[in-house]
């Protein structure tokens, strides 16, 4: 038996070895994530009603899933047998000797059989998913797939997708659909963010008020939290998963080789729990589940033992429901004001010799970690569990950037990369103003695809501690499942490819072409996948005195861009974009993408402003923040930052003042000075105490010419000051930072951000 199998495979490999470039292209055309190795052969396997699924009883679940997919597509239900039939068959076998990599598989399609050999059950399922993708895109008809041999296995052991069900609640049916999508793209972990300030979403039998009180909020914010005054919908909102439903979800996920990691947030993001059990807070309440988004001062008290009893009881029930090795306890964004003022917390700090509230946070997490470890499980927490020292054995989910990840890895702790800038799918994926409301930021499909878990410059020895990567879907601005899908897809597909495929397979154009070929399959599911990766982006090549040189581009092969600069609607009769465009007067540039003579997507629009300072050199006295940093020249590039402030135009100063000196190179009359100032107190962005303009002819002696200290707009404040009889070469702009956010305001006690974009001179 062994011998004949060996011969069979030798023949197959020989027959499949030669593959033309064209075949290679066709091979990868359908598959996401790109497999490690594909070779196409001659002929087709055609599925018929006599095809038998041959699988051992240990693979009953995988065989049933396979049959389910076939039934969905064709209406056929195939026989499942453990014996090899003489006619057409789909064989499922586990063989860890042949497929050495965990979760790996070999998919072999010949004219009379499909043979999936997995390292394990997960490998079998991934082989099925690969075949399913090939099959759904097969150009030769619904029941046939071209002969091929695919060897495949994952790059990372942890490939996750997160979902926040607290800010908005999603039905069990949607959770299952979400899991199906994860499985289709070979993601293996579902991180279920079950509790937060705005609602507690898991039934805990010992604490019924978590269901009757904590699962509900009075109403929900309308629009973005930065808008002021806040408006609410007046509708009670809530819900939770019963333990039966949780079990059902876990069963469903397990059958698809997906681990569900529950997250129970502590010590912060606890308002909903406190609303049900106010004695667990420092002040004793009363508390209410939050109706708005953000970070709230009231958190679990770290001084009362009853808090640990409560949390351990909760974790006991959670561990009963979730077999995962890892339990997530949040740990992020926990303000320390209440602790600082709380007699219980102070007593705890004294008794435990804790120097400050950060060490109290560490005490909190370590104590919970010990409890979880005592049950044979492990703790995962966000970056902030590094504060005051890591709990032994804890895994860090690193959202803040790479510093936390590097620090944890250096301490030999495992890290899952979940960086905000690249892997937060609540961010905008397009900069077009028509893009539906999102949390903020800008994380395009391409940004996700280009994500590099550790930069090349980082210590290579840290790499083994990077267990994997995960996308985050926070749901503040996801009121419907359709919107959740829109934010998830296709970015989760890019994530999946980065998590699964080897670095050598990385190619964004190739990924995009495979993504396009998946559209039909996604439409059939159906899933509301965003199509806005086919749009126009611009780059500034140079800003000179009096002119801006830009390029336009799209990632659509064969796409053509037509544009106008006179405000008219761009179309086939407008100018065809052929190369860099020089702009030397204020314009609204509008552009449309065409493919094969048909318009694609929305119209691109960007305003450019020409004034005396554009292209001038600007010297900054103080450094801006890294998030809103960049070269000083962007302050005078003729492009104004937008109110979503995700366009890289704004410069932000935190903990220091703005002082910029513009050099116009020669003394000249100045009629207007100005600046745009962004103010959103609910985003901690505060206008300066005052903004001052001073001028000089020699760069040494300055004369103050104007000062502005009123900023009435919640949003972009346009400061424009008219001058008379002023001539100067240098203009110094000073903005005095508001400093620490005052008490009673959102983010009180933290540094405010002074946000400024274009400095304007005319
Ligand atoms: C930060 S990232 C949070 C969440 C928010 C998210 C919004 C992290 C661990 N905490 O509470 O939903 O930002 O983007």
């Amino acid at each position: 038996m062994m011998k004949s199998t060996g011969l069979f495979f030798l023949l197959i490999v020989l027959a499949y070895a030669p593959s033309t470039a064209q075949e290679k292209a066709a091979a990868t055309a359908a598959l996401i994530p790109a497999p490690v190795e594909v070779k196409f052969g001659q002929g087709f396997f055609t599925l018929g009603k006599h095809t038998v699924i041959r699988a051992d009883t240990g693979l009953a679940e995988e065989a049933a899933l396979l049959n389910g997919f076939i039934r969905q597509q064709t209406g056929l239900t195939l026989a499942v047998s453990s014996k090899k039939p003489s006619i057409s068959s789909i064989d499922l076998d586990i063989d860890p000797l042949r497929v050495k990599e965990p979760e790996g598989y070999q998919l072999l399609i010949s004219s009379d059989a499909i043979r999936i050999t997995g390292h394990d059950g997960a490998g079998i399922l991934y082989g099925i998913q690969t075949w399913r993708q090939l099959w759904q895109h097969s150009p030769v008809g619904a029941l046939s797939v071209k002969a091929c041999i695919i060897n495949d296995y994952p790059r990372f052991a942890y490939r996750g997708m997160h979902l926040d069900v607290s800010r908005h609640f999603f039905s069990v049916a949607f959770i299952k659909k979400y899991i199906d999508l994860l499985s289709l793209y070979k993601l293996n972990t579902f991180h279920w963010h079950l509790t937060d300030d705005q609602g507690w979403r898991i039934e805990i039998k010992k604490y019924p008020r978590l269901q009757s009180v904590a699962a509900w909020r009075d109403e929900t914010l309308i629009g973005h939290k930065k808008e002021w005054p806040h408006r609410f919908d007046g509708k009670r909102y809530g819900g939770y998963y019963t333990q039966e439903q949780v079990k059902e979800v876990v069963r469903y996920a397990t059958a698809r080789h997906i681990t569900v990691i529950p997250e129970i947030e502590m010590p912060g993001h606890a308002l909903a729990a406190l609303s049900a059990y106010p004695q667990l807070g420092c002040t004793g309440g009363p508390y209410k589940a939050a109706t708005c988004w953000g970070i709230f001062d009231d958190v679990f008290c770290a001084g009362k033992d009853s808090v640990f009893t409560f949390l351990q009881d909760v974790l006991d029930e959670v561990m009963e429901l979730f077999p995962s090795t890892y339990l997530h306890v949040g740990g992020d964004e926990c303000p320390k004001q209440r602790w600082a003022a709380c007699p219980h917390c102070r007593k705890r700090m004294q008794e435990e010799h804790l120097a400050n509230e950060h060490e109290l946070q560490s005490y909190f997490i370590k104590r919970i970690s010990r409890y979880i470890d005592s049950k044979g499980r492990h703790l995962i927490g966000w970056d902030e569990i590094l504060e005051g020292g890591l709990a032994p054995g804890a895994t860090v989910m690193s959202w803040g950037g790479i510093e936390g990840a590097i620090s944890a890895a250096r301490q030999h702790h495992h890290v899952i990369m979940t960086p905000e800038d690249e892997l937060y799918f609540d961010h905008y994926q397009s900069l077009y103003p028509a893009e539906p409301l999102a949390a903020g930021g800008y994380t395009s499909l391409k940004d996700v695809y280009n994500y590099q878990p550790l930069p090349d410059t980082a210590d290579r020895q840290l790499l083994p501690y990077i267990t994997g990567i995960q996308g985050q879907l926070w749901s503040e601005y996801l009121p419907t499942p359709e919107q959740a899908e829109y934010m998830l897809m296709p970015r989760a597909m890019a994530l999946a490819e980065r998590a699964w495929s080897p670095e050598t397979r990385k190619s964004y154009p190739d990924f995009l072409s495979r993504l396009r070929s998946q559209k039909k399959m996604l439409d059939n599911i159906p899933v509301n996948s965003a199509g806005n990766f086919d749009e126009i982006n611009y780059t500034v090549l140079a800003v000179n005195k009096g002119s801006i040189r830009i390029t336009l581009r799209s990632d659509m092969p064969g796409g053509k861009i037509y544009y106008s600069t006179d405000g008219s609607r761009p179309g086939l009769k407008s100018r065809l974009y052929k190369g860099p465009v020089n702009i030397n007067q204020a314009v609204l540039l509008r552009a449309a993408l065409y493919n094969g003579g048909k318009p694609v997507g929305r119209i691109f629009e960007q305003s450019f402003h020409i004034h005396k300072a554009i292209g001038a050199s600007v010297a900054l006295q103080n450094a801006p923040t890294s998030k809103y940093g960049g070269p000083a020249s962007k302050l005078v590039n003729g492009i104004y930052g937008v109110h979503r402030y995700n366009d890289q135009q704004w410069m932000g100063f935190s903990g220091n003042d703005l002082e910029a000196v513009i050099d116009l190179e020669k003394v000249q009359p100045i009629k207007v000075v100005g600046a745009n100032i962004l103010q959103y107190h609910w985003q901690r962005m505060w206008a300066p105490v005052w903004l001052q303009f001073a001028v000089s002819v020699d760069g040494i002696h300055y004369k103050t010419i104007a000062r502005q200290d009123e900023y009435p707009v919640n949003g972009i404040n346009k400061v424009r000051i008219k001058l008379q009889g002023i001539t100067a070469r240098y203009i110094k702009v000073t903005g005095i930072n508001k400093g620490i956010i005052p008490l009673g305001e959102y983010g009180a006690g933290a540094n405010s951000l002074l946000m400024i974009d274009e400095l304007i001179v005319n």
Side-chain angles (χ1 to χ4, degrees):
M1 178 67 200
M2 276 312 289
K3 221 174 166 183
S4 70
T5 311
L7 184 61
F8 172 73
F9 274 99
L10 182 65
L11 288 174
I12 291 287
V13 171
L14 287 176
Y16 285 72
S19 74
T20 63
Q22 208 180 4
E23 279 170 338
K24 243 186 209 156
T28 46
L31 296 173
I32 294 177
V36 172
E37 192 178 70
V38 190
K39 284 175 192 140
F40 272 68
Q42 300 303 316
F44 294 89
F45 174 85
T46 302
L47 188 110
K49 58 177 188 285
H50 301 300
T51 305
V52 173
I53 299 174
R54 192 196 53 76
D56 287 337
T57 45
L59 291 174
E61 201 114 52
E62 288 75 10
L65 280 174
L66 172 58
N67 227 341
F69 296 143
I70 292 170
R71 192 162 44 241
Q72 243 172 28
Q73 205 67 20
T74 65
L76 292 174
T77 299
L78 303 186
V80 180
S81 155
S82 59
K83 288 195 196 71
K84 175 127 183 95
S86 50
I87 37 144
S88 120
S89 69
I90 304 178
D91 298 353
L92 309 181
D93 288 296
I94 289 189
D95 186 348
L97 288 179
R98 218 179 38 187
V99 179
K100 301 223 163 42
E101 300 82 3
E103 302 182 277
Y105 67 91
Q106 180 180 71
L107 170 65
L108 194 70
I109 302 180
S110 63
S111 51
D112 54 358
I114 291 182
R115 181 155 200 168
I116 299 172
T117 312
H119 175 90
D120 42 29
I124 298 283
L125 179 67
Y126 296 139
I128 292 173
Q129 294 291 23
T130 294
W131 165 75
R132 192 179 155 208
Q133 287 192 17
L134 284 175
W135 186 40
Q136 301 217 11
H137 303 112
S138 177
V140 288
L143 297 179
S144 296
V145 184
K146 196 162 165 48
C148 66
I149 180 166
I150 295 180
N151 290 306
D152 202 11
Y153 53 86
R155 174 187 185 195
F156 286 113
Y158 185 109
R159 305 178 303 279
M161 210 34 244
H162 149 288
L163 179 67
D164 167 9
V165 296
S166 171
R167 277 58 176 270
H168 282 99
F169 183 60
F170 296 93
S171 69
V172 169
F174 180 76
I175 300 293
K176 287 183 175 173
K177 182 176 183 185
Y178 199 84
I179 288 170
D180 282 338
L181 288 170
L182 266 55
S183 169
L184 178 56
Y185 295 107
K186 304 186 174 75
L187 294 170
N188 65 0
T189 310
F190 171 48
H191 171 176
W192 206 358
H193 183 82
L194 286 162
T195 73
D196 215 304
D197 298 300
Q198 295 79 4
W200 182 284
R201 307 274 174 240
I202 177 171
E203 178 186 23
I204 300 295
K205 300 221 166 144
K206 195 162 183 182
Y207 297 99
R209 285 175 61 81
L210 289 175
Q211 285 72 254
S212 59
V213 179
W216 303 90
R217 61 177 179 250
D218 288 346
E219 55 188 353
T220 302
L221 183 76
I222 298 172
H224 199 279
K225 88 166 185 198
K226 72 185 186 182
E227 284 158 30
W228 189 257
H230 284 159
R231 290 172 303 137
F232 295 89
D233 65 3
K235 291 184 200 131
R236 187 170 140 88
Y237 182 96
Y240 62 92
Y241 305 102
T242 65
Q243 294 204 347
E244 277 317 306
Q245 288 175 318
V246 170
K247 282 184 205 157
E248 187 185 330
V249 166
V250 171
R251 260 198 310 271
Y252 192 84
T254 307
R256 285 153 186 80
H257 296 281
I258 286 178
T259 304
V260 188
I261 296 184
E263 180 180 352
I264 306 293
E265 270 265 18
M266 62 187 82
H269 287 298
L271 260 185
L274 296 185
S275 73
Y277 297 99
Q279 64 275 26
L280 302 176
C282 291
T283 64
Y287 308 104
K288 286 223 153 218
T291 55
C292 179
W293 325 122
I295 300 172
F296 301 94
D297 289 343
D298 287 299
V299 301
F300 284 120
C301 175
K304 297 174 184 166
D305 282 329
S306 57
V307 168
F308 292 93
T309 309
F310 166 83
L311 290 171
Q312 288 171 7
D313 288 344
V314 167
L315 289 173
D316 282 345
E317 291 193 33
V318 168
M319 284 186 266
E320 273 295 307
L321 297 167
F322 294 89
S324 68
T325 311
Y326 290 101
L327 298 183
H328 203 305
V329 300
D332 60 306
E333 300 180 327
C334 177
K336 311 288 190 291
Q337 281 96 306
R338 293 289 185 265
W339 289 359
C342 166
H344 300 278
C345 291
R346 303 187 76 89
K347 184 157 169 270
R348 173 87 70 203
M349 285 166 65
Q350 239 162 33
E351 283 170 4
E352 301 287 335
H353 311 293
L354 306 171
N356 53 38
E357 288 81 28
H358 294 294
E359 288 188 12
L360 186 55
Q361 153 112 0
S362 173
Y363 165 87
F364 195 113
I365 300 292
K366 280 181 180 152
R367 182 162 167 179
I368 292 292
S369 180
R370 271 198 304 278
Y371 186 74
I372 292 176
D373 282 347
S374 77
K375 306 283 170 183
R377 312 285 187 99
H378 287 298
L379 176 144
I380 293 188
W382 300 107
D383 275 327
E384 289 93 327
I385 66 168
L386 282 152
E387 281 176 25
L390 267 181
T395 294
V396 174
M397 237 178 216
S398 191
W399 69 281
I402 62 159
E403 292 79 24
I406 288 178
S407 152
R410 284 216 178 105
Q411 300 173 55
H412 306 294
H413 284 253
H414 287 287
V415 180
I416 295 150
M417 303 301 279
T418 56
E420 196 180 10
D421 287 344
E422 294 101 334
L423 300 182
Y424 270 33
F425 298 167
D426 59 335
H427 285 184
Y428 286 99
Q429 52 194 315
S430 158
L431 289 172
Y432 283 31
E435 190 64 17
L437 180 72
Y442 174 49
T443 301
S444 67
L445 180 66
K446 199 175 191 167
D447 292 334
V448 176
Y449 193 82
N450 285 329
Y451 172 57
Q452 203 71 14
L454 265 193
D456 288 337
T457 49
D459 182 356
R460 296 291 94 186
Q461 287 183 340
L462 300 181
L463 266 179
Y465 294 100
I466 309 295
T467 317
I469 64 177
Q470 175 175 285
Q472 278 51 246
L473 199 50
W474 301 101
S475 61
E476 287 95 330
Y477 301 98
L478 307 180
T480 63
E482 289 75 24
Q483 187 58 16
E485 289 175 13
Y486 179 83
M487 300 304 269
L488 179 73
M489 304 291 278
R491 286 183 291 187
M493 296 159 78
L495 170 86
E497 177 143 319
R498 301 300 285 138
W500 178 281
S501 308
E503 215 29 33
T504 49
R505 294 303 304 265
K506 188 181 173 202
S507 159
Y508 187 62
D510 187 57
F511 169 76
L512 274 188
S513 91
R514 284 178 280 122
L515 173 58
R516 290 181 214 287
S517 74
Q518 295 237 340
K519 185 169 182 347
K520 202 178 87 199
M521 187 180 73
L522 293 173
D523 288 348
N524 279 344
I525 291 177
V527 49
N528 184 30
S529 184
N532 49 12
F533 50 89
D534 277 328
E535 60 182 24
I536 298 168
N537 288 297
Y538 77 102
T539 320
V540 178
L541 285 183
V543 182
N544 301 311
K545 297 216 168 50
S547 82
I548 307 166
R549 191 170 165 79
I550 62 151
T551 55
L552 300 176
R553 70 180 303 270
S554 92
D555 288 315
M556 174 168 256
K560 287 196 162 61
I561 297 172
Y562 293 87
Y563 70 101
S564 74
T565 50
D566 60 0
S568 64
R569 193 184 167 84
L572 289 168
K573 294 209 175 88
S574 311
R575 241 171 302 166
L576 173 66
Y577 177 81
K578 290 193 184 124
V581 179
N582 280 323
I583 293 166
N584 43 30
Q585 60 182 36
V587 294
L588 170 65
L589 186 137
R590 304 180 80 200
L593 181 62
Y594 278 79
N595 189 22
K598 289 205 181 66
V600 181
R602 304 174 288 204
I603 302 242
F604 166 86
E605 289 189 353
Q606 178 65 46
S607 293
F608 296 91
H609 306 266
I610 303 290
H611 56 84
K612 272 189 179 156
I614 70 161
S617 78
V618 179
L620 283 176
Q621 185 67 32
N622 303 315
T625 64
S626 56
K627 190 165 179 143
Y628 300 105
S633 58
K634 77 180 190 182
L635 290 171
V636 289
N637 64 359
I639 302 159
Y640 294 179
V642 298
H643 72 99
R644 285 175 178 173
Y645 56 90
N646 57 353
D647 53 357
Q648 302 283 317
Q649 293 300 326
W650 293 94
M651 196 161 259
F653 294 84
S654 172
N656 55 15
D657 299 329
L658 158 82
E659 193 186 310
V661 176
I662 304 168
D663 180 359
L664 298 175
E665 281 179 12
K666 60 175 195 268
V667 177
Q668 53 192 288
I670 311 285
K671 296 206 178 75
V672 177
V673 288
N676 290 349
I677 298 286
L678 190 65
Q679 171 158 263
Y680 285 125
H681 291 182
W682 270 80
Q683 300 292 67
R684 302 193 177 120
M685 295 169 182
W686 286 70
V689 185
W690 42 260
L691 185 71
Q692 176 179 288
F693 296 86
V695 295
S696 167
V697 288
D698 57 7
I700 301 165
H701 305 95
Y702 279 91
K703 184 177 141 207
T704 301
I705 47 166
R707 197 181 254 204
Q708 173 96 8
D709 58 8
E710 269 177 55
Y711 303 90
V713 179
N714 182 62
I716 300 175
N717 286 264
K718 295 187 172 171
V719 179
R720 302 288 185 273
I721 298 166
K722 287 202 174 111
L723 306 168
Q724 260 177 1
I726 303 281
T727 53
R729 170 175 166 179
Y730 299 94
I731 293 143
K732 186 191 281 182
V733 188
T734 310
I736 302 300
N737 198 300
K738 174 77 182 172
I740 302 290
I741 298 172
L743 220 67
E745 299 284 352
Y746 182 73
N751 275 336
S752 63
L753 254 179
L754 189 171
M755 297 280 281
I756 189 158
D757 179 34
E758 197 75 355
L759 300 177
I760 300 153
V761 180
N762 259 322

